[in-house]
Amino acid sequence: SMGKKVNEFENKFAKYTGVKYAVMTNSGSSANLLGVASQFFLKKNKLKRGDEVIVPATGWSTTYAPLTQYGLKLKIVDIDIESLNIDFSLLKKSISKKTKMICAINLSGIPADLHKIRKLSDKHNIILYEDNCEGLGASINNKKTGSFGNFASHSFFFSHHMSTIEGGMISTNNFEVYNILKCLRAH
């Protein structure tokens, strides 16, 4: 399953998304799990059990489950009623000294305020986890969703925008994260 065609797809997907690296998984759920797990093995600024992660009030169990599986504390922030994505003004107010990661979900193909969230996470040195499982192909000012986060997950389940029947992908611009993801996938 990790043959020439998968490698070719990973390279083409990274180029399409506008990131340096992409790692194929068996599902979008596994992409979420491995993406979160990778942040525990970084040399600097790694996550640890008990760290706080801000999540939107509307999302998927497959987004939240890896966070709780790794012992992270979820801080739920309400959504903007127009986009159904995390409300940016409430997100800004919710950041504390305990906040180590923000999860932005591009719900039903509608991108979150990713430019603003990226700037906010950079300002506070917070990891941005972008769940793009339902946002493949969307863009903001010609920048594809799935390219804003420290890592992003994508799903190719049969009900999503592009299907491989099952399957998922993690995209990142970080070489260290890319290598950690390949190790985690191998196990």
Side-chain angles (χ1 to χ4, degrees):
S1 62
M2 293 293 114
K4 180 180 169 186
K5 292 291 184 188
V6 170
N7 186 258
E8 184 180 331
F9 182 44
E10 289 172 334
N11 291 330
K12 286 182 177 183
F13 188 84
K15 185 175 180 182
Y16 168 78
T17 309
V19 298
K20 292 178 183 176
Y21 312 105
V23 176
M24 184 97 189
T25 62
N26 68 323
S27 67
S29 303
S30 291
N32 287 331
L33 179 63
L34 294 183
V36 170
S38 71
Q39 302 306 294
F40 282 78
F41 296 98
L42 297 171
K43 289 180 184 173
K44 295 181 182 177
N45 300 323
K46 64 183 172 182
L47 291 177
K48 58 187 179 311
R49 294 181 73 76
D51 282 346
E52 180 180 276
V53 56
I54 296 176
V55 298
T58 302
W60 308 106
S61 61
T62 53
T63 306
Y64 305 135
L67 301 170
T68 58
Q69 182 175 338
Y70 275 91
L72 297 170
K73 181 181 175 191
L74 276 60
K75 181 187 268 188
I76 300 171
V77 173
D78 207 355
I79 59 167
D80 169 72
I81 196 66
E82 297 297 318
S83 70
L84 303 179
N85 287 310
I86 198 164
D87 184 303
F88 183 74
S89 62
L90 296 175
L91 170 62
K92 278 176 62 173
K93 293 176 188 174
S94 297
I95 292 176
S96 71
K97 292 179 182 178
K98 296 178 182 180
T99 306
K100 302 299 180 190
M101 185 162 65
I102 296 170
C103 175
I105 302 173
N106 300 317
L107 196 63
S108 297
I110 302 169
D113 287 331
L114 295 169
H115 281 295
K116 290 179 182 178
I117 297 170
R118 176 78 266 168
K119 285 181 186 174
L120 184 66
S121 63
D122 287 346
K123 178 181 175 183
H124 294 281
N125 196 28
I126 296 172
I127 298 163
L128 176 54
Y129 159 26
E130 184 184 355
D131 182 330
N132 196 47
C133 287
E134 288 199 342
L136 186 61
S139 60
I140 302 171
N141 298 328
N142 297 317
K143 183 175 171 66
K144 295 278 188 206
T145 57
S147 67
F148 288 85
N150 295 68
F151 68 95
S153 59
H154 309 268
S155 176
F156 307 123
F157 191 60
F158 74 89
S159 63
H160 289 146
H161 298 83
M162 182 172 74
S163 176
T164 58
I165 308 301
E166 292 184 345
M169 191 79 75
I170 311 160
S171 55
T172 185
N173 282 311
N174 185 303
F175 185 67
E176 181 185 11
V177 169
Y178 170 66
N179 284 297
I180 292 168
L181 289 168
K182 289 193 306 180
C183 290
L184 290 170
R185 178 181 66 185
H187 291 92

